[in-house]
Amino acid sequence: MIPPPLLARELRKDYPMNGETVHALRGVSLRVDAGDYVAIVGPSGSGKSTLLQLLGGIDAPSGGAVEILGTRLGSLSDRELTRLRLTRLGFIFQRFHLLPVLTARENVELPMAEAGVAGRERRARARELLAYVGLDHRADHRATQLSGGEMQRVAIARALANRPALLLADEPTGELDAATGHEILALFRQLNADGTTLVVVTHDERLAAEAGRIIHMLDGTIRD
Amino acid sequence: MKGIAWGLKSLRRHRLRTALSLAGIAVAAAMLLDMVMLSGGIDKSFTDLLLGRGYQIRLTPKGTLPFDTEATMAGASGIVAALRRDPAIEAVGAVLGTSLYGRTADSLVTLFGYGIEPDAQSLYQLASGRDLTPGDSSGVVLSEPAARFLGAAVGDTVTLVGRLDPQTVTAGVGRRLVVRGVVRWLYDYRGQPSVGTVLPLMQRLARQPSADRASVILVKVREDAAVPGLAARLRARFPQIEVNSVAELVAHFRERLVYFRQLAYILGSMSLIVAVLLIGTLLTITVNERLGEIATLRAIGVSRATIVRQTLAEGTALTVVGSALGIMLGLFTARYLDAILTSFPGLPAAFSFFVPRADTLGFAALVLLVTGSLAGLYPAWLASRAPIAATLRAEAT
């Protein structure tokens, strides 16, 4: 049996803050199967971004476990975890976080170069991905020369570079105007239709409405 | 697009800051290079100067160095004859250095006179005309400044006058001599008006108490390896005379100029520290500015090693470019400083304080490269240890 792309059990996350312990997550369990499109919604401070960071192996839980394709993240060394993020997961951030000194193509190539993909192959795939997100004509423009929507599309192409099993997006339309956000929404719909498994943290009702499943969070727990 | 290429591109992000940092590193590198050249250049230049004509041993009056004082050795011809019989010795030449005067139309000009043995001379190189020959008691060679002072050219006749009588201020021995050639005296300071005649003639002009005197006797040894042994042997044989090999003279010289070396080491070290601090500071600022970017890269799976490589690449690139600029600047300033230092009275014009050598340049570049790269270690460590989740949370707020 093929393990699911994502399985989280009883996740807890506590932060020390001003001498007190903040319970950001209080036992969250979640399963995401291949091809799912999951939206996590909730008010600020409900723990949704923290959950996404734990699911992506960016942060370590105070309790519970996360499995990506059957691999328990807690059992991995820092190097193995970094490699897993590189090859199995794709990340999309609210503020895009492209490298401003690199072109759109170079930004997309970066994770592939890190994964050891040969130059010719990664250039071809970068072109293919930029065409997929509708930016092939902007491939050689620096990130700073792109609009917000274009930057987010480049970030999506970058997240897809190493053919991840799971795409994690944190407020992907948070920095965009309504029209541009709509374009990204359409792109996510297309991604999912093409078989990409998506977990999206969002405030955007329209984006959440596109998802096949919506998870509501409040006070560090799932309420649905 | 791996860490190194990405690091190099990152330097273009703040061009003015990078340019200013490069300028700072270049100045520090130039100073380091100059100090490295200064610390080794004095010895090298002095050794080259002394070995210019291949004479490895100097005999001088007891307690003096060549041309250090006006002291002379008596019985010079006997010593020379004895030395010439030694099978280890290839050539011997006695030299008398003295003050004398040249007569111009309406006055006397002060000159420095060398009495030399033309078949074993080691003090000049012929620039024009012809050389003196043994026994040429009517010829003289002039330095360029002396020729200018006396208004004489090759083939002209000049009048040299021996020491003035201090009581009557009247001239002693005077001789009319034909200028055979214009020469470059190896040990003259800049602008020194020097003349050279055969030794017996200069001894007469100098009016030494005993005619057979010399300031220095130069010895060319057949085998370089035999020099220390021969010097020791001559020291035992002529206890009334100072015997020094070039290596020993260099050691004496080094003792006299030890403060130059200390200054060079101190300033060199300081410039190195400045370069390291500049690179370290710049990279630390850059890393702190880019913590969000670095956290993102770590989040998407970029390894710590790549982050470290990228930061070190920036430091190395700054060092390489800054050093290249610094070497050019250092060579330029060395020439300028050399011109100032060698114009000090009493220093041979052919002497150089700053000697550019491939090994010196290589050493300075290597030290800079290593330390410059090391300067990136702390910022690289800082970058690789950036907490991913906390930094991304801070970026989002």
Side-chain angles (χ1 to χ4, degrees):
Chain A
M1 194 176 100
I2 299 171
L6 175 65
L7 189 62
R9 290 194 194 95
E10 287 300 313
L11 284 180
R12 285 187 294 102
K13 183 67 183 177
D14 303 327
Y15 296 108
M17 189 181 283
N18 300 329
E20 292 184 11
T21 301
V22 175
H23 304 288
L25 288 181
R26 304 161 186 261
V28 172
S29 295
L30 177 67
R31 177 189 173 108
V32 176
D33 290 310
D36 279 359
Y37 184 170
V38 178
I40 301 172
V41 297
S44 293
S46 60
K48 54 189 189 302
S49 288
T50 301
L51 174 62
L52 199 76
Q53 289 186 342
L54 298 187
L55 298 179
I58 290 172
D59 205 355
S62 307
V66 177
E67 287 180 19
I68 302 290
L69 292 169
T71 303
R72 190 170 167 147
L73 302 190
S75 67
L76 301 179
S77 66
D78 180 74
R79 183 179 291 193
E80 291 167 333
L81 192 56
T82 302
R83 189 75 188 169
L84 181 135
R85 287 198 302 267
L86 180 69
T87 55
R88 301 288 188 196
L89 301 176
F91 287 90
I92 299 160
F93 303 95
Q94 181 175 346
R95 292 188 178 169
F96 332 123
H97 290 312
L98 300 178
L99 292 189
V101 289
L102 304 186
T103 64
R105 181 177 56 76
E106 288 168 340
N107 267 287
V108 178
E109 276 188 49
L110 198 137
M112 291 187 274
E114 182 69 16
V117 177
R120 183 183 295 238
E121 188 185 339
R122 67 175 189 248
R123 278 190 289 279
R125 176 143 175 83
R127 292 268 177 206
E128 180 189 312
L129 287 168
L130 285 170
Y132 182 79
V133 298
L135 281 180
D136 46 343
H137 63 294
R138 304 284 269 165
D140 295 319
H141 287 75
R142 289 237 183 98
T144 48
Q145 296 171 313
L146 304 175
S147 69
E150 288 173 329
M151 282 198 268
Q152 193 58 299
R153 281 191 277 165
V154 173
I156 291 168
R158 180 179 69 181
L160 294 169
N162 286 326
R163 297 182 173 85
L166 177 65
L167 210 58
L168 302 170
D170 191 0
E171 300 283 8
T173 57
E175 294 278 312
L176 305 175
D177 59 43
T180 314
H182 197 76
E183 291 171 15
I184 298 301
L185 209 111
L187 189 53
F188 272 50
R189 193 186 311 132
Q190 185 189 336
L191 276 171
N192 185 238
D194 292 341
T196 305
T197 308
L198 280 163
V199 175
V200 182
V201 164
T202 184
H203 276 105
D204 190 335
E205 295 293 334
R206 296 168 306 158
L207 185 57
E210 291 285 334
R213 191 166 125 214
I214 300 176
I215 294 172
H216 293 274
M217 289 200 68
L218 190 67
D219 292 334
T221 57
I222 291 176
R223 301 287 175 92
D224 60 347
Chain B
M1 184 58 50
K2 292 291 276 185
I4 293 171
W6 162 37
L8 298 182
K9 286 196 172 196
S10 293
L11 287 173
R12 299 204 305 237
R13 203 180 304 215
H14 299 287
R15 289 172 193 234
L16 181 61
R17 184 200 292 174
T18 302
L20 289 173
S21 301
L22 284 175
I25 295 164
V27 170
M31 197 164 172
L32 174 68
L33 176 68
D34 285 351
M35 292 306 114
V36 170
M37 283 200 286
L38 180 63
S39 65
I42 296 173
D43 288 1
K44 173 82 171 79
S45 178
F46 192 58
T47 306
D48 288 350
L49 198 61
L50 292 180
L51 290 175
R53 301 282 297 194
Y55 285 74
Q56 306 103 317
I57 294 177
R58 266 75 171 161
L59 277 64
T60 50
K62 194 72 183 173
T64 70
L65 294 173
F67 305 118
D68 210 21
T69 68
E70 293 198 2
T72 54
M73 295 172 283
S77 58
I79 299 168
V80 169
L83 292 171
R84 282 179 177 155
R85 285 194 294 273
D86 192 313
I89 294 173
E90 184 183 332
V92 179
V95 178
L96 174 67
T98 187
S99 296
L100 73 166
Y101 303 90
R103 193 181 296 283
T104 60
D106 54 356
S107 62
L108 292 174
V109 292
T110 305
L111 302 170
F112 188 80
Y114 292 103
I116 56 119
E117 295 184 283
D119 52 352
Q121 77 82 12
S122 61
L123 296 182
Y124 64 78
Q125 288 168 330
L126 191 67
S128 62
R130 65 178 180 82
D131 213 340
L132 294 173
T133 52
D136 183 355
S137 56
S138 60
V140 64
V141 290
L142 309 178
S143 69
E144 195 68 60
R148 205 167 49 246
F149 278 28
L150 296 170
V154 174
D156 290 351
T157 299
V158 296
T159 301
L160 300 184
V161 177
R163 294 187 173 198
L164 296 177
D165 186 319
Q167 299 299 320
T168 62
V169 200
T170 52
V173 183
R175 288 295 295 266
R176 286 172 60 77
L177 300 167
V178 177
V179 179
R180 305 286 187 218
V182 174
V183 301
R184 278 191 295 273
W185 297 96
L186 297 178
Y187 306 112
D188 275 10
Y189 59 82
R190 189 167 295 150
Q192 182 175 327
S194 298
V195 301
T197 68
V198 292
L199 180 61
L201 175 56
M202 191 57 72
Q203 285 169 333
R204 283 197 292 279
L205 284 168
R207 293 204 317 173
Q208 290 287 335
S210 151
D212 189 18
R213 299 190 79 89
S215 306
V216 58
I217 295 170
L218 299 108
V219 178
K220 185 186 279 187
V221 186
R222 292 184 196 282
E223 301 286 339
D224 282 339
V227 170
L230 181 63
R233 193 146 53 79
L234 295 180
R235 214 169 278 130
R237 187 171 171 190
F238 303 106
Q240 78 284 14
I241 292 173
E242 195 76 39
V243 178
N244 279 301
S245 66
V246 166
E248 289 161 342
L249 287 171
V250 168
H252 282 299
F253 189 69
R254 192 180 291 154
E255 278 172 25
R256 289 188 178 193
L257 292 181
V258 68
Y259 58 90
F260 262 105
R261 296 168 69 86
Q262 287 172 343
L263 187 74
Y265 286 133
I266 292 167
L267 292 180
S269 304
M270 283 171 64
S271 56
L272 197 61
I273 291 167
V274 168
V276 167
L277 288 177
L278 261 173
I279 295 167
T281 305
L282 176 75
L283 292 182
T284 305
I285 292 170
T286 304
V287 163
N288 280 323
E289 275 178 353
R290 298 210 309 251
L291 276 181
E293 189 180 284
I294 291 165
T296 305
L297 290 168
R298 293 280 295 122
I300 67 171
V302 173
S303 66
R304 287 186 204 276
T306 301
I307 301 289
V308 167
R309 269 201 302 275
Q310 181 252 337
T311 311
L312 290 180
E314 284 186 47
T316 306
L318 281 172
T319 308
V320 168
V321 178
S323 300
L325 294 172
I327 285 172
M328 288 188 279
L329 183 64
L331 291 173
F332 174 77
T333 50
R335 286 180 62 181
Y336 179 71
L337 291 170
D338 213 32
I340 294 174
L341 290 172
T342 53
S343 66
F344 284 5
L347 275 176
F351 183 73
S352 200
F353 283 80
F354 300 88
V355 181
R357 286 155 40 193
D359 58 342
T360 311
L361 293 175
F363 176 73
L366 183 68
V367 167
L368 268 169
L369 193 64
V370 170
T371 50
S373 302
L374 290 177
L377 281 179
Y378 171 69
W381 177 84
L382 202 66
S384 72
R385 296 285 147 185
I388 305 173
T391 308
L392 289 176
R393 270 197 298 275
E395 283 280 305
T397 55

